[in-house]
Amino acid sequence: MDNLEKLHIENYKPLREIVFEYLRQSILDGKLEPGKRLMEIQMAEQLGVSRTPVREAIRKLELEGLVVMVPRRGAYVADVSIKDVLEVLEVRMVLEGLAASLAAERMSDDEINELISVCDEFKSYYEEDNIEGMIQKDVEFHDRIFSSTGNNKLNQISQGLREQIYRFRVRYISRYNKAKELVDEHQALLDAICNRDPDKAYKCGMKHIENLTDHMMEQLEIYKEE
């Protein structure tokens, strides 16, 4: 638990929500790794709060599937199985193609210009070997595509799926030896949207996630062998 920091309390939010959001983000960011035991007393001391909001946060995290309760042993950060990641990516592949297709039809000129800027920033971070920056801009790139569809249900479903694999992605993207392909795939997707070609955008979106799936499966297999 040494990587947890004392919380900055915001008066307008319930303490239980502040603790929950902090712990949730710590799991997604990989600060609290899969298999890590969550000890209420120690966590409360480090966060500068009582045990009650920590206990409530852990229960809520369990409902989201980010924490598992082991009888007579306590709470642990949930692991990520190959089956879990594969199932999420299979669904996301279809959603990504749909979102790209709709974006090619519905994205405004201003939104396209913003997407171009994000794509350029991603490329710059790649050239600087800035993994954190690449992850940030990759998330923003896809967020902008989905938000431009104007389909709230599509956005909600996609967000839930992406969060399920985000912590795995943060942990292993640094091992990705084909990062240049990400740059090229983003550019191909951007070109299809700029050209208002929904069929091409759909195929590019699907292919992008298909390649991501292949990479993640490779890395999960490597992780199992370590």
Side-chain angles (χ1 to χ4, degrees):
M1 299 296 172
D2 295 337
N3 49 358
L4 294 181
E5 301 174 355
K6 183 166 290 189
L7 294 175
H8 298 290
I9 307 301
E10 300 174 18
N11 293 329
Y12 62 89
K13 277 189 177 182
L15 185 57
R16 63 179 180 276
E17 287 299 319
I18 297 174
V19 174
F20 165 72
E21 290 173 4
Y22 179 78
L23 293 180
R24 185 175 187 275
Q25 196 60 48
S26 294
I27 292 174
L28 293 176
D29 289 342
K31 293 179 181 178
L32 294 175
E33 298 183 347
K36 183 75 173 180
R37 186 179 180 187
L38 304 178
M39 303 175 68
E40 289 181 13
I41 296 177
Q42 187 176 351
M43 292 172 66
E45 290 177 350
Q46 291 188 332
L47 297 175
V49 299
S50 67
R51 290 179 61 184
T52 300
V54 173
R55 185 182 306 115
E56 292 175 348
I58 289 175
R59 288 173 180 168
K60 196 170 179 180
L61 290 167
E62 182 187 12
L63 293 176
E64 288 201 357
L66 293 175
V67 167
V68 293
M69 299 299 296
V70 181
R72 296 182 297 278
R73 294 184 59 189
Y76 293 80
V77 177
D79 207 344
V80 183
S81 71
I82 292 179
K83 185 174 184 293
D84 291 337
V85 174
L86 183 58
E87 287 180 351
V88 169
L89 288 173
E90 283 179 342
V91 177
R92 187 185 161 191
M93 191 184 304
V94 178
L95 296 183
E96 196 77 31
L98 174 60
S101 175
L102 293 175
E105 297 175 339
R106 301 175 181 178
M107 188 174 276
S108 69
D109 291 341
D110 286 342
E111 287 174 324
I112 287 180
N113 288 332
E114 291 170 356
L115 191 64
I116 291 172
S117 296
V118 173
C119 193
D120 289 342
E121 289 169 346
F122 179 87
K123 183 178 180 181
S124 296
Y125 282 131
Y126 158 72
E127 293 171 347
E128 297 168 4
D129 197 27
N130 184 333
I131 300 300
E132 184 176 341
M134 287 175 64
I135 293 172
Q136 177 186 345
K137 290 303 169 181
D138 181 66
V139 170
E140 185 177 350
F141 181 80
H142 293 284
D143 278 349
R144 287 182 178 275
I145 290 175
F146 274 85
S147 64
S148 72
T149 67
N151 189 317
N152 292 331
K153 296 299 182 184
L154 180 60
N155 274 278
Q156 291 171 6
I157 295 171
S158 172
Q159 187 64 33
L161 290 173
R162 277 182 285 171
E163 287 184 350
Q164 291 182 45
I165 60 169
Y166 180 77
R167 58 198 177 112
F168 171 84
R169 193 174 185 194
V170 169
R171 189 172 180 181
Y172 292 103
I173 196 170
S174 60
R175 296 184 179 185
Y176 194 47
N177 56 7
K178 299 179 181 179
K180 180 59 168 66
E181 291 184 6
L182 291 178
V183 175
D184 295 339
E185 289 166 12
H186 279 188
Q187 188 62 53
L189 184 51
L190 174 63
D191 290 343
I193 292 174
C194 288
N195 292 330
R196 304 295 186 183
D197 188 338
D199 292 336
K200 181 67 173 178
Y202 182 86
K203 292 176 182 177
C204 288
M206 290 272 287
K207 185 62 177 176
H208 179 52
I209 304 303
E210 181 182 352
N211 291 341
L212 174 63
T213 301
D214 291 342
H215 164 63
M216 283 194 168
M217 290 304 101
E218 290 174 4
Q219 294 304 318
L220 276 168
E221 290 293 347
I222 292 172
Y223 176 61
K224 283 175 61 182
E225 296 171 0
E226 292 180 346

